[in-house]
Amino acid sequence: MVKKFRKRENKNLTIAQNEKIRKRLRENRETHGLQAPKAGTSFAHIKNKHKRSQMVTLMKQEQKKQKAKVRRGRREAEARGEKVERQEPRTIEKMREADETIVPAEDSEVEEDEAMDEFEKYFQGGKTPKILLTTQKRPSKKCFDFLKELVHVIPNTFYYPRKDFAFKKICEFASNKDFTDVLLFHEKAKVLQGVYICHLPKGMTRLKLGQEISGGATCNASHNPELILNNFSTRLGRRLGRQLAALFPQAPDFKGRRTVTFHNQRDFVFFRHYRYNFKDEGTKCKLQEIGPRFTLKCRYVQHGTFDAKSGEYEYVWRPDSQVSRKAMFV
């Protein structure tokens, strides 16, 4: 307790001293009529590093003041009813490098290919997904807590213990028992690291559980959820999106007001599970998160069922293939 108290006292003392130094510096500059340094000013000629850091801090504070002034003026102009031009923010996604695999809207060739792929019968309502869940050997308690919630999120899901069976044998067993997909979760140091998704019969992260989300809703597993897929724009992205969508029945129960979202952003797929409530006679909608919440990244796509030795890879992610942050594949 004494150590914590001393640390807190030292921290407060440091903050107070820094504030006193900044105040004295401001007063000295105002006394001598010196303006605050403008953005982009170089302070390499100042040899004393403490003085140099003070000047950089002053410059940043001046930048913040100018930005706040512009924002305030824009809000006041909008309040007066004037037309204000808002600049579009420059994000990494908007600066994305051109990719020839991006699918344009209403591409007949892609639609014809998707009409003949292995997922089409699920979207046409001809077959209901049936999922087999399993884990690596000797899973931790955290993994079981996650699977308990996932069983309620994805309808028609069944858990089978891994025991000592190879993943290839599990896929063969699942195919014989008329399962449509196998999901194998693996972990490292008792932390979930990834999932293998194998589509049958011929094939194709950070984690937060619902019980850890404050103010979360309970899941009513008797209603099929509505499915939302965002930003799967390339050929690979559309294929991944269709595989994820094929895990869920394509007949949502709107009475349950339950939605499952797969949102792709910079090749990371964010999974969210919500219930929505209408307010003010249907004019407003409120979201309440059910959980779990996790993030996926595609490492590879293999054609056919899982085969570590002689499998044919459709896509393999490598660190050197994404040196530029503006290069995206999904």
Side-chain angles (χ1 to χ4, degrees), residues 247-308:
L247 298 174
F248 295 84
Q250 301 302 310
D253 294 330
F254 296 103
K255 289 183 179 179
R257 294 176 284 107
R258 191 160 67 99
T259 63
V260 168
T261 302
F262 290 96
H263 174 73
N264 171 50
Q265 187 168 350
R266 292 169 57 184
D267 287 357
F268 289 93
V269 179
F270 298 90
F271 175 88
R272 297 293 183 268
H273 184 205
Y274 295 104
R275 175 182 293 131
Y276 56 87
N277 295 313
F278 293 109
K279 299 174 68 178
D280 298 336
E281 299 180 356
T283 56
K284 291 185 179 180
C285 184
K286 179 186 175 184
L287 288 179
Q288 190 176 18
E289 189 167 3
I290 300 173
R293 178 198 303 174
F294 54 89
T295 307
L296 303 171
K297 184 174 178 65
C298 180
R299 295 294 179 177
Y300 62 82
V301 178
Q302 196 177 87
H303 185 71
T305 52
F306 178 78
D307 192 340

Side-chain angles (χ1 to χ4, degrees), residues 93-223:
E93 282 198 329
K94 289 176 181 175
M95 295 187 289
R96 177 178 184 170
E97 292 178 356
D99 188 355
E100 59 183 9
T101 62
I102 294 177
V103 180
E106 299 180 0
D107 190 313
S108 59
E109 182 182 352
V110 175
E111 290 176 356
E112 289 173 5
D113 290 344
E114 291 177 348
M116 295 184 290
D117 68 4
E118 60 269 38
F119 307 117
E120 182 61 20
K121 55 188 174 183
Y122 299 97
F123 294 97
Q124 296 296 332
K127 193 166 185 178
T128 303
K130 184 181 178 185
I131 316 297
L132 185 148
L133 277 183
T134 189
T135 62
Q136 66 174 29
K137 298 173 184 178
R138 295 182 294 279
S140 66
K141 179 182 179 297
K142 181 89 171 180
C143 185
F144 280 118
D145 290 340
F146 171 64
L147 294 182
K148 284 177 189 175
E149 296 189 4
L150 197 65
V151 165
H152 294 295
V153 174
I154 306 177
N156 209 22
T157 303
F158 304 91
Y159 169 74
Y160 282 77
R162 173 72 181 271
K163 297 184 179 178
D164 290 327
F165 297 108
F167 187 36
K168 196 170 180 181
K169 294 290 183 184
I170 293 174
C171 293
E172 292 175 2
F173 166 80
S175 183
N176 294 333
K177 293 293 183 179
D178 202 29
F179 282 95
T180 61
D181 295 270
V182 176
L183 272 65
L184 184 145
F185 291 88
H186 68 90
E187 52 189 350
K188 184 178 180 182
K190 297 185 179 181
V191 176
L192 278 164
Q193 292 287 320
V195 56
Y196 292 92
I197 303 176
C198 184
H199 186 70
L200 303 173
K202 296 181 181 180
M204 181 177 164
T205 51
R206 286 178 292 266
L207 169 67
K208 191 165 186 179
L209 301 179
Q211 60 193 14
E212 299 171 355
I213 297 173
S214 60
T218 55
C219 177
N220 187 354
S222 61
H223 296 98

